[in-house]
Amino acid sequence: MSTALAQAALKAHRPAFVGTAVAALFAATVVSASTTVLTATSADGITPADRHDITTNGVGDIAAVLLIGSVYMSIFVVVSTMGTAVAQQYRELALVRAIGARPRQVRRAVAAQALAASVPAALLGFALGGTVLAPAWFHGMVDHGLVPATVPFRFSWLALPVCLAVAVVTCTAAALLSSLRFSLLRPARALDEAAAGRRSLGLLRAPLGVLAVTGAAFLSVLLSRQPADDANSGAFLVLILFCVGVGLLGPRLIGPAARLVSAPVGRLGPSARLAMLNVRSQPRRFAAAVLPLVLVVGFGVTKIAQHTTAEHVTGSAGSTGEVWLDYMGTSLYAGFAAIASANTLAMIALERRRDLALLRVVGSQRRQIRAMAFWEALVVAGTALLLGSVIALVTLAPILNTTFGSPFPYVPGVLAASIASATLALTVTSTGVPVQAGLRGRAIDAVRG
């Protein structure tokens, strides 16, 4: 029965699991490349002179940080997309529980779905990372003087178990955790929750989220009193703690920010007002789309503002190699966030096809529905920019204060506008394309289906 459930869910929710597979593929590709580069720069056979240059440039430490960051982002993205995919089939899972399916059969079904989506993605990602991204990354470090030209690139099979662990284990664990509590509910309660959504965060999630945010704020204050090098070293941990806290608190933290952003939007016409009501009435759905964007804005603004502020104050953004590596790492994180957020927004839009059809049945025009989707995307982008900027400012404050004597970063207006435009373009595209596809055909057919 578990196999039949898994096959039925994959067929009924194909876009959700395609999105999960894409996220796992990107995660495996980046993790494979990170692992391969780390092993290539620390392998035996490198001459003492070349090893001295690599150590002096801090290549090993940088590669290790990028690997840790890639693994963290991979886990976050895979957990987010897989959790959303499982949540979309809560109604079906509740129905099969009502007709006699046991909790363990439900969990086996979602685990089978996770394996079907992640195993091929992990294998393909390992190959792409080791043969395409890793060589480009390695030769980029050579071109920027971080690695001597005499050091050869080496392919590493060590990346394969790492990719499988990150993509497959994480995806399966996320599926099981997402379905564990729901599978144990009584069928009637499960049907009610599938329709209305869960109203609480859970006994552990809320206190852990508060602890992470409080710890990040405390560490930020502590670092403001430390030497510049120590503040720089601890800033990454502050950023990670803030991101973990925001991820755990989810709707409780994102909800108020979304209400703040959506308040002025609601005054811009009927479509905007409907979008505001949708965002406020479904905080969990939209929080899942906002979270990845919060991460990329937080990571991106932190990394970019460090260099732009240094260049503004001292005339130099740092060494060419260091700047290149930071921007390359930021682009990878941006890729993670883009995939996770685009997947989530697309899944939300596809899940609402019947709701959109009902709007058309009662008289709404296609252009009004498209306008509503645009305003929703604007609220999502604005909320992510607000929270991500706050996280970046709090993270940067101790670094900039100890280094330059002021906690405030310098970000050129053109660069800030580019970040905001890219965020908005991502949300509008990810929402608009599925909505446009859902508006095809007769509305009454979608309602009946």
Side-chain angles (χ1 to χ4, degrees):
M1 185 174 180
S2 299
T3 303
L5 285 175
Q7 291 175 345
L10 287 171
K11 184 177 180 180
H13 299 275
R14 188 175 290 110
F17 290 100
V18 169
T20 301
V22 170
L25 172 61
F26 188 85
T29 301
V30 176
V31 169
S32 175
S34 302
T35 306
T36 301
V37 168
L38 180 61
T39 55
T41 54
S42 60
D44 296 333
I46 298 176
T47 65
D50 288 344
R51 188 174 295 281
H52 177 267
D53 290 341
I54 292 175
T55 303
T56 302
N57 291 328
V59 172
D61 294 338
I62 294 171
V65 169
L66 286 173
L67 175 59
I68 293 171
S70 299
V71 170
Y72 168 76
M73 290 296 288
S74 300
I75 292 173
F76 180 88
V77 168
V78 171
V79 167
S80 176
T81 52
M82 190 67 217
T84 304
V86 173
Q88 281 197 335
Q89 49 180 312
Y90 273 175
R91 183 174 179 274
E92 288 86 343
L93 296 179
L95 288 172
V96 296
R97 285 278 288 117
I99 61 174
R102 296 172 180 252
R104 66 171 179 269
Q105 291 175 312
V106 171
R107 293 193 293 271
R108 286 174 186 169
V110 296
Q113 297 164 17
L115 290 172
S118 61
V119 171
L123 296 176
L124 181 58
F126 162 70
L128 290 175
T131 61
V132 178
L133 182 57
W137 187 344
F138 183 86
H139 295 308
M141 290 196 294
V142 172
D143 294 339
H144 288 84
L146 294 170
V147 175
T150 53
V151 176
F153 172 78
R154 294 181 174 89
F155 177 82
S156 174
W157 285 96
L158 179 63
L160 180 58
V162 179
C163 289
L164 289 171
V166 170
V168 179
V169 176
T170 301
C171 199
T172 306
L176 290 173
L177 288 174
S178 298
S179 63
L180 176 60
R181 175 187 167 277
F182 191 83
S183 68
L184 295 174
L185 294 177
R186 292 183 178 180
R189 175 71 182 278
L191 283 169
D192 177 66
E193 191 167 299
R198 190 180 179 187
R199 296 172 178 82
S200 63
L201 286 179
L203 295 177
L204 289 178
R205 185 171 174 177
L208 287 176
V210 172
L211 181 63
V213 172
T214 304
F218 175 78
L219 184 58
S220 179
V221 173
L222 186 64
L223 290 176
S224 66
R225 303 171 184 172
Q226 304 301 316
D229 290 342
D230 293 339
N232 276 304
S233 300
F236 185 74
L237 179 58
V238 173
L239 189 58
I240 291 294
L241 284 174
F242 269 126
C243 292
V244 169
V246 172
L248 289 171
L249 294 176
R252 293 293 182 270
L253 190 61
I254 291 173
R259 284 193 291 272
L260 180 65
V261 173
S262 64
V265 170
R267 302 189 183 99
L268 300 176
S271 296
R273 189 159 50 252
L274 183 57
M276 177 192 71
L277 294 173
N278 285 338
V279 172
R280 292 186 177 187
S281 64
Q282 303 177 51
R284 281 186 174 272
R285 281 183 176 180
F286 287 95
V290 170
L291 279 175
L293 292 176
V294 171
L295 290 186
V296 73
V297 172
F299 269 97
V301 172
T302 298
K303 286 294 184 181
I304 293 171
Q306 282 182 277
H307 296 299
T308 55
T309 304
E311 186 173 13
H312 180 68
V313 175
T314 67
S316 172
S319 67
T320 304
E322 180 187 358
V323 174
W324 176 79
L325 270 179
D326 270 351
Y327 285 168
M328 188 204 65
T330 301
S331 66
L332 292 177
Y333 299 147
F336 277 119
I339 288 174
S341 186
N343 282 342
T344 304
L345 285 168
M347 284 188 274
I348 290 172
L350 290 169
E351 187 181 10
R352 297 166 59 201
R353 281 178 295 186
R354 190 170 182 274
D355 296 338
L356 299 180
L358 284 172
L359 287 175
R360 291 171 58 195
V361 168
V362 298
S364 297
Q365 299 179 3
R366 285 185 172 89
R367 61 178 178 82
Q368 292 174 315
I369 295 175
R370 286 193 290 266
M372 179 194 71
F374 170 80
W375 291 118
E376 288 177 356
L378 182 64
V379 172
V380 169
T383 304
L385 289 168
L386 174 63
L387 288 176
S389 298
V390 169
I391 289 174
L393 289 173
V394 177
T395 303
L396 282 169
I399 304 174
L400 301 181
N401 191 54
T402 55
T403 305
F404 305 116
S406 173
F408 302 106
Y410 171 77
V411 179
V414 174
L415 183 58
S418 299
I419 294 173
S421 299
T423 304
L424 180 59
L426 173 65
T427 57
V428 169
T429 303
S430 302
T431 302
V433 172
V435 166
Q436 181 62 34
L439 294 177
R440 295 174 183 169
R442 295 195 311 163
I444 193 63
D445 293 336
V447 172
R448 290 171 177 170

